Amino acid sequence: MDDDGDGTTADAASLVDTERYTGTLRTGGTVVLGADRLVVDRGDEPVVVDLDDVVEVSLQDIDWFLAVMSVALIGFGLLSLDRSVLLGGAFAVAGAASLALTYRKRYALRIQVAGRTDPLRCFPADPQTLLAELEAALAD
């Protein structure tokens, strides 16, 4: 973790030399793309990725299978209300919670980094712009 001289943690913008893109994350925090690195600051320790280590970048759309299954679970719960209010309500609430979580995880930017087993995932407020800037930076 990089520290300033007074002992406070450095912010995301100070970790890059030349800013190409600065944006916010839907879940809170910032993402800064520099000429040679990407910094994702979610409020805790910022994640710094050198662009030379990026293997693949993709934008994950909504998980349609999970969304359809969640809607089916809501429908099953609503249709089951006449047999058992408690059980039907539980199915409907579980489906609604699953649908809300699926919607919340839409447009996840997945960055596969060399040396990491799982990809870095972030949820930018403007995912298309960040993806275009990141692909342009990787092409340079």
Side-chain angles (χ1 to χ4, degrees):
M1 178 161 45
D2 291 350
D3 290 333
D4 291 339
D6 59 357
T8 59
T9 306
D11 63 336
S14 67
L15 295 174
V16 295
D17 294 333
T18 307
E19 290 184 24
R20 292 180 65 134
Y21 173 84
T22 302
T24 60
L25 299 174
R26 286 193 326 250
T27 55
T30 58
V31 59
V32 178
L33 176 64
D36 59 345
R37 64 175 57 169
L38 174 74
V39 179
V40 179
D41 187 6
R42 296 183 182 120
D44 50 355
E45 186 174 340
V47 178
V48 180
V49 176
D50 289 330
L51 292 182
D52 295 335
D53 295 337
V54 173
V55 176
E56 181 184 4
V57 177
S58 63
L59 189 62
Q60 181 180 356
D61 197 11
I62 192 167
D63 188 354
W64 287 106
F65 177 76
L66 191 56
V68 169
M69 293 302 292
S70 299
V71 170
L73 192 59
I74 293 170
F76 177 75
L78 293 177
L79 290 174
S80 300
L81 283 175
D82 59 345
R83 290 187 175 248
S84 172
V85 174
L86 183 62
L87 194 58
F91 275 107
V93 167
S98 176
L99 186 62
L101 288 174
T102 302
Y103 180 74
R104 184 176 167 208
K105 292 182 180 180
R106 74 196 184 285
Y107 296 123
L109 186 65
R110 296 171 41 101
I111 304 165
Q112 185 65 43
V113 180
R116 285 182 66 139
T117 56
D118 56 338
L120 173 65
R121 290 179 49 180
C122 64
F123 303 97
D126 189 9
Q128 299 292 342
T129 305
L130 178 56
L131 179 65
E133 287 291 330
L134 192 53
E135 287 176 342
L138 291 173
D140 289 347

